[in-house]
Amino acid sequence: TSSGQAAGEGDEEALLAVVRGLVAEVQPGRRARRVALDSSLERDLGLDSLGRAELLLRLGDAFGITLPEQILAEAESPRDLLRAVERAAPTAAAAKEPRRRAGAEPAVATPEEATTLLAVLDAYADAHPDRRHVLFLTGEGEEEELTYGALAARSRAVASALRARGLGRGQTVGLMLPSGLDYFASFFGILRAGGVPVPQYPPARPSQLEDHLRRQAGILANARARLLITVDAVKPLARLLQARAPELAGVVTPADLAGDQEAAEPPPVAGSDTVFLQYTSGSTGDPKGVILTHDNLLANLRSIGEVLELGGEDVVVSWLPLYHDMGLIGAWMGSLYFGVPLVLMSPLAFLARPVRWLEAIDRHRGTISAAPDFAYSLCVDKVSDDQLAGLDLSRWRLALNGAEPVSPTTVERFAERFAGAGFDGAAMMPVYGLAENSLAVTFPPPGRGPRIDRVRRQALQREDRADPAASDETAVIRFVSSGQPIPHHQVQVVDEHGAELPERRQGRVRFRGPSATSGYFRNPAATHRLVREDGWLDSEDLGYLADGELFLTGRAKDLIIRAGRNLYPQELEEAVGELPGVRKGGVAVFATAGAEEGGERMVVVAESESRTGEAAEELRGEVAGLCSDLVGSAPDEVLLVPPRSVPKTSSGKIRRSTARELYLQGRLGAGPRAVWWQLARLAVSAVPGRLARLRRGLGERLWSLWFWLVFLLVAPGGWAWVVLLPGRGLRRRAARMLARLVAGLSGIEVRGRGLEHLPRRGPVLVAANHQSYLDAFVLTAALPPRFGYVAKDELRGNPFTRLPLARLGALFVERSAPEKGGEETARALQRLRDGDSLVIFPEGTFQRQPGLMPLRMGAFVIAARAGAPVVPVAIRGTRSILRGGTRMPRRGGALVVASEPMAAAGDRWEDAVALRDAVRRRLLELTGEPDLGV
């Protein structure tokens, strides 16, 4: 009936409210978990057997019923509990009173409430599993669809495979994949496994293989990458990469991580955790990995959303590579966060036929698309009249143009060229962003169109003043506004001493806000240059403010100073690129040290098919004359090089510093080496690293064999000794002596600190963190011989472990049978009341990655009821000696630190919870490891 249905909905709301209340109480300070009817009581909500027993009592209270005890064993989710509630008869007291109700179930977490990128995906996957997230346009003209639900499922499979390969929490994983659906699943799979993705671009051409792998190996080494996910072509080169990146344990492909994997419990992820490392384009010797947290990323996306006002009718179209921040964050993560569909194509598809980008915007009714400045220029030059005639770009409302700086000529030419296709020139949005601020820094108002500023050239070059030029002046230089700072962020322009400059004065651009990075990964020198003492970050860009808007003028390191004047390379590069015979986009202008002290030589490098003979000499003269006319200074050298010789970043920007290095080495314009020669050079250079790695590996293996040899020699006699000796006290002293003997012979130093805090008389419960299979061995060697262990019941099934543990007074508990929780609690309670002392690992298990997991309630309920003190004991070092999932120990030492005893205020459940929380806080302090319960 309808009334029965309403009652059922009320029962559901009331039950979930009770479950949420207990979860919040049992796990205070932990990031809020979403409680749903099908949440696992143990895996998702962290309720152990005693927690579930308390839940049954509270449900009985709330609904006025009595639930049978077998529900402890049968119920795996709130839905199971709901069925039991509906079957149970109300108590007599409940029949006289109206049933108590709770508030309604809160709505599914929205992106505005999400604290991590994973939470954003899961919110959409839960609410809209079948909705399209990405449509990937393959090079063969086919379309591949990815829904939110499919992405979540595929990422779980990847996460399980990565965990099975030993990936630990916080470890980095290189992601060297082309654009495609595998990229998304791999990225989120790394996050879900607790790792940190490191986007890298895959090799583009065989001729660049050596330079590419050297650079990527440098990034892998700096990031301390544990694994690399890449394409089949790179997999055979794994040994060359591992020689340069010693911590790289394996190279895998997406196919290696696919298939049905056993679901692993994902480690908790917090907003303050690193979401990925974005390596900026720099030299191979000084890789700069920008540290970005979930908080940084989401703050940037939310600020972008406040400006762009994305809605349900929007469609994002992109060809930008996913290893670059504009494509990764701006196109993909932005579309994910705002629930906007993304139409994606390969960068190679765009470069081969630029019209494909515009055709995709037309065909898929795209409203938002972004690209670097060169892409708009390429479309102007490469889209034919016939192709233009079939385009409809009228729905394209936001055409974001990101470069430092944007060319005023490009935005004008693009608007003029595509006006006939319905493109609105007001849709063009020159923006400014950089990886160090996640992505966006300044945006202009949407729909306004570009604002171009004409300033007097001499004033800017000689005095850093951006004075507006009159309409009839010709000695001018033009700059495009990048807009105002995005919401909740700030921008300033300062002089060389850090003093803030007034408007229309050129200086270094600084920024700050919630999107800003904390620094570069393992690069303190670069971090010191980036982050100033006053909290501002130095962009290394030059610019000025006018009417509150930022106008970028260039990079500080690329500025050329001649005869006291500032010359801007990008202005010359753009002008030279327009000359007949010069390959557009293939020009680099940079300075080198001159013969005179403090002087600089200006070098212009231009790609051209004409490099010898009269045609080349004529072209060099045209370049020199153009530079002289434009900036009043002729270059010291004009170098003509073959096409594709000028180095560029992954987003198409000129790498002037790299071009300068190649020029000084005499390698700029040199023909590409054969692939076999590049591989041979890489192999030879990798030999020292491989030898060192083999030497370390051999030493580790020999020590591991020695450890097991010592164990095998001592174990049989020790087993018999412990089993046959009379008296528990004598047996425990023998076990301690044997543990110390094994430690001494194998070279494991076991040290104790604070052991005087252990009470000498009376029952005591030692609560220790759990790191490794060696924990009991180390505690036996370090602690006084008066403790028995609480051991898992599986050890009772093996005679080799059952007999000595039983003779030492171990208490076996069944972890997988919740219905036995009360019985086992009673046995442990009786042991304490009889005067025995116990050691327990309240985490219940251990894992590879460092961190303290939530503590189970059993030990603390027992201590509260027995009135026995609990001594928090921290174990350090055993995880690094013998990690979970491996049988090969590594040389190291262990430290056991005991704290002051703690006691419960009473014997109630609330007193046990308070005791557990106090012990956990102390263990976190003593171990110094991350809190995996947050």
Side-chain angles (χ1 to χ4, degrees), residues 205-220:
R205 297 189 298 274
S207 61
Q208 297 178 339
L209 186 63
E210 180 182 3
D211 176 68
H212 175 83
L213 288 183
R214 286 183 187 275
R215 174 171 171 73
Q216 301 311 311
I219 290 175
L220 291 170

Side-chain angles (χ1 to χ4, degrees), residues 10 14-15 69 102 110 201 211 214 244 368 411-412 508 540 653 728 753 852 860 891:
L15 182 140
E69 290 186 0
T110 63
Y201 63 95
D211 176 68
R214 286 183 187 275
R244 293 179 172 272
I368 303 171
V411 297
E412 291 172 340
R508 295 176 77 101
E540 297 188 358
K653 291 184 289 188
R728 182 181 292 175
R753 183 189 302 166
L852 186 68
F860 308 98
R891 189 191 304 270

Side-chain angles (χ1 to χ4, degrees), residues 806-889:
R807 298 284 281 171
L808 291 170
L811 177 65
F812 295 97
V813 297
E814 175 55 70
R815 297 182 299 174
S816 59
E819 70 276 10
K820 294 185 179 181
E823 176 186 337
E824 292 172 344
T825 299
R827 287 194 290 119
L829 184 61
Q830 189 59 49
R831 287 281 295 270
L832 287 178
R833 286 174 174 168
D834 290 344
D836 201 4
S837 295
L838 295 172
V839 173
I840 191 168
F841 299 104
E843 290 174 279
T845 186
F846 63 87
Q847 50 192 359
R848 284 185 59 90
Q849 65 262 33
L852 186 68
M853 293 184 290
L855 306 186
R856 296 170 178 260
M857 285 296 300
F860 308 98
V861 170
I862 296 166
R865 293 179 181 175
V870 176
V871 177
V873 170
I875 304 172
R876 299 182 186 174
T878 55
R879 181 179 280 112
S880 61
I881 297 175
L882 184 64
R883 286 187 178 272
T886 180
R887 298 173 186 267
M888 298 293 289

